[in-house]
Every structure is written in structure tokens, then in C-alpha cells.
Amino acid sequence: MLAVLFASMFLPPSVVQPADLAGPGPERVILDARASMKDYLAGHLPGALWVGPDNWRSTAEGVPGEIHPPEVFRTLFGRLGLRPDDEIVVYGAISDPDAALVASVLRMHGLAAAILDGGIDRWKREGRPISNDLPRPPTSRPRVARATGAIAAYDEVLAASKSRGNAVIVDVRPPEQYEAGRIPGAVSFFWKRNLWPEEGVSASGCLRSARELLEAYRALGITPDKTVYVYCNSGHMAALGWFVLKHYLGFRDVRLYDGSWIDWSARPGAPTESGKPGEAKARAAADALTRDLQSRLVAEMRDGGPTRAVSVTVSAGR
């Protein structure tokens, strides 16, 4: 754990606090990643540009919500005036999947993006300034390339689910969705578990401490030495898990299953499991016992008749 924390000290900052933006300092590009343009027009951080998260995704091979290919981001980043050496801060309503999706995509393409901890809700709670300005940055022509291994496709996740080995699959959907149906072997870690409760504390909507999150993930077998695959329904919620594990906690190899459950569940023959954790193993054991009893009953009926068969059922009930 200490090695991960030490290594993270040398990563570009992944999370910034409102106070970091309040005083004098280096110029930054600030991106408002809330889904609604109306919310942005009603008031945003001074100098912020609007980049609704759904503008960063589209349908690919029939699967909705796939992250655009790099050539599309070349145009998008250029229209925002982004340059390779920019210090970029992204915010949502809180430290939420909207901000994480945008920051994750930027990080995947080599730009130093950080999330504003607590988002605009915290910014407002602290009485900081809100603006209605519409900044007009000069366009740019950035070179854009995606980091190898940042995004995983179906075949790779399928192989990981079968072999397990040194890989772990993390499902960040709400627990009821996880229990209704999931990728076999996936571990549940609801994305909101990365945050303080939404109500009742001053840090509502902010990320929990790195040390606390490392312990929470470690308790589920999600450790820095493993290849971690993160998924949700469409890749949106999963972006927060990806960003937290990769850039807040400093895990070495974290991959976003972009198609997520929409892609997985639509594929004929894709294996699934359901129920609460442990139920799948219990059902498998019960099925194996049932098959064993059936074969024994058939054998005893054939060799010794009903009397011998009754002895099998009696012994099984003990």
C-alpha cells in the first residue's frame, strides 16, 4: 500500500481542491462536465467551457455509449483549444461519473486532467464565485493518441472472466443491478462507495481518502498488482472507478470495458451469473449434489430396486 501511495506522489495531480483554484497560480483550462447545457448557462466556474459527457461518446457497431476514436478527439480537443502542456481541471455536480468520464478520456489521450473534488456543489457551498461568461479560447491542432490498454473489448474481458488468474473484474453498478445479472466472477464496488455520503457531512460528494479506498478495495481482492477491468451499464459510471483506481490510487494496469453490460448482455452465448455474492457457488454445489444423487438413485434402482434407492435418499438427508 505504501508503495502505491509513494508512486502516486509522482503522478500529475489527479484531484484538486476548490482552494487550489481560488488564489493566484498557473493558468488552467476548466471544463464543466455536467450533462445539462442549461445548468452551465445558469452559472458555472469562471472561465469554464462546457463539455457535456455524452459529446464524448457515440454508437459503434451497434453499441451505444462507446468512447469516440482518437481522430474524433483531435477535432474536439482542437475546438476547446487544448494543448499537450495544459493543466486541465474537470468538474461535475460532485465528484461524479460525468467529471470522471471527461477526465478519464483526457488522461487516456495524454492530457493532464484532474477532477475538482466535490464539484460545483461544493464550490457553491463554500461561497465561491459563479459566472455566466462564455470564454472563447483559440482553437488548437493537438496530436492525439490513445494509451495502449486503457480500454478493453469484449473478447479480452471474456478471457479474464474465464481464467481469472491475476485479473479482477469490478462491477460499479448499484448492488441490485449487480445481483440481477453480471459478468461471471465480477466483484461489486458501487461507484458511490468512492465518495463521502451525499448528505450530512461537509465533504459530501468528495472522494474518500486514498488510504481508506485502498483498504476498501483490498478487502475485496482488488489490489495494485492485478490487471483490473472496470464496467457498468455503458461505461459511464465505470469511468469513475477507472479514474480512481488508475490516477487517484495509482494502480498500474486498469482497463475500462467500454461496451460494459449493454455490450455483454446483447452478445449471444455471453456467460452471466446472478444472485448475491456467494449464491452462484452455492447453487453450483447444490446442482452438483443433485446430479450425484440422481446418478446414484438410477444405479441403485437398477441394481437393487426401490429398497436400495431409499437408502440413498436417507443417507443424503443426514
Side-chain angles (χ1 to χ4, degrees):
M1 184 199 317
L2 291 177
V4 174
L5 289 173
F6 183 76
S8 67
M9 294 170 60
F10 298 95
L11 294 171
S14 60
V15 177
V16 300
Q17 306 303 319
D20 297 332
L21 304 184
E27 290 189 9
R28 298 180 177 91
V29 177
I30 301 177
L31 302 179
D32 185 320
R34 290 177 293 172
S36 171
M37 185 192 297
K38 290 183 179 180
D39 290 342
Y40 170 78
L41 294 175
H44 48 263
L45 268 65
L49 300 165
W50 183 69
V51 290
D54 283 339
N55 294 327
W56 300 59
R57 310 190 298 166
S58 61
T59 297
E61 297 183 354
V63 181
E66 297 278 271
I67 292 172
H68 292 316
E71 57 267 24
V72 175
F73 287 118
R74 188 175 299 114
T75 299
L76 182 55
F77 294 172
R79 295 182 71 175
L80 294 169
L82 301 182
R83 297 163 298 182
D85 57 347
D86 279 337
E87 187 175 338
I88 304 168
V89 177
V90 186
Y91 69 87
I94 57 175
S95 297
D96 56 24
D98 289 343
L101 176 65
V102 172
S104 294
V105 169
L106 290 166
R107 285 271 180 160
M108 288 176 185
H109 294 87
L111 297 177
I115 289 176
L116 177 64
D117 200 19
I120 195 170
D121 287 1
R122 180 185 177 191
W123 183 270
K124 290 178 178 178
R125 283 201 308 271
E126 296 181 0
R128 301 187 185 277
I130 294 296
S131 174
N132 296 102
D133 66 339
L134 295 179
R136 300 176 183 273
T139 59
S140 61
R141 300 183 66 182
R143 294 181 179 179
V144 177
R146 182 171 296 164
T148 302
I151 293 178
Y154 168 80
D155 290 342
E156 183 181 348
V157 181
L158 177 63
S161 73
K162 289 180 177 180
S163 64
R164 312 290 166 84
N166 201 43
V168 60
I169 301 172
V170 182
D171 185 324
V172 306
R173 298 174 301 162
E176 61 271 18
Q177 294 183 14
Y178 170 80
E179 292 170 13
R182 59 183 176 270
I183 296 173
V187 177
S188 176
F189 197 99
F190 184 30
W191 72 265
K192 287 187 178 181
R193 290 186 61 190
N194 293 289
L195 310 183
W196 287 101
E198 293 185 13
E199 298 178 356
V201 297
S202 60
S204 293
C206 297
L207 290 169
R208 294 182 181 274
S209 72
R211 185 177 299 276
E212 184 178 2
L213 286 175
L214 279 168
E215 290 296 341
Y217 280 108
R218 185 181 295 276
L220 295 173
I222 306 165
T223 51
D225 58 305
K226 296 179 179 178
T227 297
V228 184
Y229 296 92
V230 190
Y231 81 96
C232 58
N233 289 315
S234 69
H236 184 193
M237 293 181 286
L240 181 64
W242 185 89
F243 190 89
V244 166
L245 288 165
K246 179 72 175 177
H247 293 292
Y248 186 52
L249 302 182
F251 278 41
R252 175 184 55 83
D253 190 2
V254 188
R255 307 184 183 201
L256 177 68
Y257 177 20
D258 196 12
S260 283
W261 187 247
I262 290 176
D263 178 42
W264 187 277
S265 61
R267 289 179 177 265
T272 64
E273 64 183 22
S274 60
K276 294 182 179 180
E279 285 184 356
K281 290 184 178 179
R283 284 197 301 272
D287 290 344
L289 177 60
T290 299
R291 289 192 297 271
D292 178 63
L293 285 174
Q294 287 174 340
S295 63
R296 289 170 61 191
L297 281 168
V298 170
E300 295 295 353
M301 281 289 290
R302 182 185 62 244
D303 298 337
T307 302
R308 291 272 296 274
V310 168
S311 69
V312 173
T313 60
V314 170
S315 65
R318 289 175 182 170

